[in-house]
């Protein structure tokens, strides 16, 4: 299907006599995003397709840009042609330090999506973020709905980190991290925290979070007086980093994807 499909004569209105908004809830993916992921052009071009009444969802013309859809369950047509959905892809990547999580980097640094071997036309993105110097497990997919559920605080999907910190945190400090530390955007707390190894001048902690505030672990530990020397994410929900080498990736199994959906419900 070409980037901007040829306009065909189609029904400008639904059977009810006017364009219909299919859904405005927080569930599903935005229609223009689904169209763009299917290769129909840029997000802006796909918005124009919707505005001009060229898109149907379940045989009803949609002109509302806020419409959310489930492309796996709903029939989407553009100029009467059934939209072909791209294959859903899911990868686990071991992000090395110095690699960026964002898809666009003006500095031209290596990106997480560059570590995933694809055919070149898939619109993949990282699920959540690991900052530049953090390492470990990050998921990569083209499934926007699952990505949203894995990162939204309401679903409380756990992420676990192995953290090397300067000094030796006291029991009182660990308790404070469990109770919560005040940051500019609210209270951040560790749902679980455990001392894994005590070294001469540093400590290895294992910390589990249910939220994803920006640089959360580095910031809460700095607030209690312990600088992070190394940060490695070892799990996202049921998916573990395991023995995946730095810079390597692997495709998730169907059972692993199902387990992620279960964790995000």
């Amino acid at each position: 299907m070409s980037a901007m499909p040829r306009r065909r004569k189609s029904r400008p209105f639904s059977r009810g006599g006017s364009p219909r908004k299919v859904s405005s809830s927080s569930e599903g993916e935005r229609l223009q995003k689904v169209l763009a992921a299917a290769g129909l052009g840029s997000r802006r071009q796909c918005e124009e397709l919707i505005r001009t009444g060229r898109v149907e969802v379940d045989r009803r013309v949609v002109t509302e840009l806020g419409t959310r859809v489930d492309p796996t369950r709903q029939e989407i047509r553009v100029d009467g042609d059934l939209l072909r959905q791209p294959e859903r892809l899911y990868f686990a990547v071991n992000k090395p330090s110095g690699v960026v999580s964002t898809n666009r980097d003006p500095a031209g640094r290596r990106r997480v999506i560059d570590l995933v071997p694809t055919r070149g036309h898939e619109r993949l993105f990282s699920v959540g973020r690991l900052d530049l110097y953090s390492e470990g497990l990050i998921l990569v997919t083209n499934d926007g709905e699952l990505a949203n559920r894995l990162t939204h605080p309401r679903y409380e999907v756990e992420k676990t980190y192995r953290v090397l910190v300067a000094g030796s945190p006291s029991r009182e400090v660990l308790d404070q991290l469990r109770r919560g530390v005040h940051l500019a955007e609210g209270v951040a707390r560790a749902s679980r925290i455990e001392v894994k190894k005590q070294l001469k001048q540093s400590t290895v902690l294992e910390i589990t979070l249910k939220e994803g505030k920006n640089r959360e672990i580095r910031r809460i530990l700095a607030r209690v007086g312990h600088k992070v020397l190394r940060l490695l994410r070892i799990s996202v929900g049921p998916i573990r980093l395991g023995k995946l080498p730095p810079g390597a990736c692997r495709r998730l199994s169907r059972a692993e994807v199902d387990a992620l959906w279960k964790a995000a419900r």
Side-chain angles (χ1 to χ4, degrees):
M1 193 176 292
S2 61
M4 291 294 289
R6 177 174 55 86
R7 180 188 289 273
R8 295 181 182 178
K9 186 177 180 180
S10 61
R11 298 190 307 276
F13 299 101
S14 66
R15 293 178 181 176
S18 61
R20 172 172 174 168
K21 183 169 75 172
V22 176
S23 172
S24 59
S25 71
S26 60
E27 301 298 320
E29 296 181 65
R30 289 186 180 275
L31 181 55
Q32 57 265 40
K33 184 176 180 181
V34 172
L35 298 178
L40 292 183
S42 68
R43 192 79 60 87
R44 183 169 297 179
Q45 289 174 317
C46 292
E47 289 175 354
E48 186 62 21
L49 291 176
I50 296 169
R51 287 194 191 97
T52 53
R54 299 171 63 183
V55 181
E56 298 175 63
V57 179
D58 293 336
R59 292 294 184 175
R60 295 182 183 274
V61 172
V62 175
T63 58
E64 172 59 58
L65 294 182
T67 298
R68 290 182 179 271
V69 297
D70 182 348
T72 65
R73 297 182 179 182
Q74 293 179 283
E75 181 184 277
I76 302 171
R77 292 179 179 269
V78 179
D79 292 335
D81 292 334
L82 187 64
L83 187 70
R84 293 182 176 88
Q85 286 300 311
E87 179 187 7
R88 293 300 191 190
L89 300 172
Y90 308 87
F91 295 91
V93 177
N94 187 346
K95 173 193 165 318
S97 177
V99 174
V100 297
S101 300
T102 182
N103 274 26
R104 295 181 181 179
D105 181 51
R109 293 169 295 186
R110 199 176 191 194
R111 306 166 300 171
V112 168
I113 59 171
D114 295 328
L115 303 176
V116 179
T118 65
R119 294 183 295 274
H121 57 270
E122 296 92 347
R123 293 172 178 263
L124 297 174
F125 51 86
S126 302
V127 180
R129 292 284 187 268
L130 284 174
D131 66 55
L132 182 63
Y133 299 110
S134 293
E135 308 166 59
L137 180 63
I138 189 165
L139 304 181
V140 171
T141 185
N142 57 356
D143 188 336
E145 175 61 15
L146 180 57
N148 176 63
R149 287 173 176 262
L150 292 174
T151 54
H152 199 292
R154 69 178 289 192
Y155 297 105
E156 296 189 335
V157 177
E158 293 186 339
K159 289 90 174 175
T160 300
Y161 303 80
R162 190 67 56 86
V163 188
L164 177 66
V165 301
S168 178
S170 66
R171 180 176 298 179
E172 290 74 17
V173 164
L174 298 180
D175 287 341
Q176 183 180 352
L177 293 171
R178 295 185 187 100
R179 290 193 304 269
V181 175
H182 288 274
L183 301 176
E185 62 271 44
V187 176
R189 59 177 57 86
S191 60
R192 288 195 300 272
I193 185 166
E194 179 183 354
V195 175
K196 302 300 290 186
K197 184 181 293 187
Q198 186 67 63
L199 306 172
K200 285 185 178 181
Q201 297 181 326
S202 58
T203 306
V204 178
L205 303 175
E206 190 166 292
I207 301 176
T208 298
L209 304 177
K210 291 184 178 180
E211 297 182 353
K213 295 180 176 65
N214 183 41
R215 296 172 58 87
E216 184 172 359
I217 289 181
R218 294 183 187 276
R219 293 165 67 200
I220 62 175
L221 285 165
R223 290 294 296 271
V224 297
H226 292 278
K227 181 181 179 180
V228 171
L229 304 177
R230 187 185 181 197
L231 191 152
L232 176 76
R233 184 193 279 163
I234 60 174
S235 71
V236 175
I239 309 302
R240 297 191 64 82
L241 180 63
K243 297 181 179 180
L244 190 65
C249 76
R250 66 176 181 83
R251 193 160 179 176
L252 299 186
S253 69
R254 182 71 253 177
E256 288 177 313
V257 175
D258 289 343
L260 281 171
W261 275 108
K262 184 176 180 180
R265 292 192 179 100

